[in-house]
Amino acid sequence: MESNWCAAFVYHCCMQAGIILPIRYPNHSYRLAGVGAWLDWAQLPETNFLYQDGYQGFKPKRGDIVIFEKLLSDNSHDHIGIVLACEGNRLLVAEGNKDNKNFSSVVYRNREHCIYGYIRIDNSYQFHFDGEYIPIVSKLSKKL
């Protein structure tokens, strides 16, 4: 049985570590239970938390969130995990739904294979929203 809950696992770990995140960034349709939403959130002007390995001296470290690219499927940004250690060209990663097998695990991954980028949440980050919240209403709920 396959399930897609790796991003929900990362969200839960962040909350357990005291990093308060929105379940869905206000006025966006995707929830942080999906890898694409993590990617979108990390690239917002107010966060700007997305990094590429080696770019301007960036090196992954413990606590970074790694976004994988076509690791488990032919889909872009298809998996996510939390870096526990960076040892040369290997990453030790905590993952939910490891290899789509429906269990969490700690696994070594090749640092040079199928990695889209890394999210490093700044220590000073605090979720704050001053704008007007406009709930996203699906077409299905409008018909009901």
Side-chain angles (χ1 to χ4, degrees), residues 20-35:
I20 306 303
L21 300 167
I23 186 72
R24 174 177 52 219
Y25 203 79
N27 304 323
H28 287 75
S29 59
Y30 299 111
R31 297 176 186 264
L32 289 177
V35 179

Side-chain angles (χ1 to χ4, degrees), residues 88-115:
N89 70 344
R90 296 188 326 160
L91 295 173
L92 184 62
V93 182
E95 301 177 1
N97 196 26
K98 181 196 171 286
D99 297 331
N100 281 334
K101 303 287 189 207
N102 216 16
F103 65 89
S104 347
S105 186
V106 173
V107 63
Y108 278 101
R109 298 279 187 197
N110 185 330
R111 185 171 153 196
E112 300 166 355
H113 179 69
C114 294
I115 294 180

Side-chain angles (χ1 to χ4, degrees), residues 50-63:
L50 185 65
Y51 298 88
Q52 300 299 317
D53 198 345
Y55 182 73
Q56 296 183 341
F58 179 87
K59 180 180 176 187
K61 68 178 186 177
R62 184 177 181 86

Side-chain angles (χ1 to χ4, degrees), residues 68 80 88 94 98 116:
F68 295 98
I80 192 169
K98 181 196 171 286
Y116 184 91

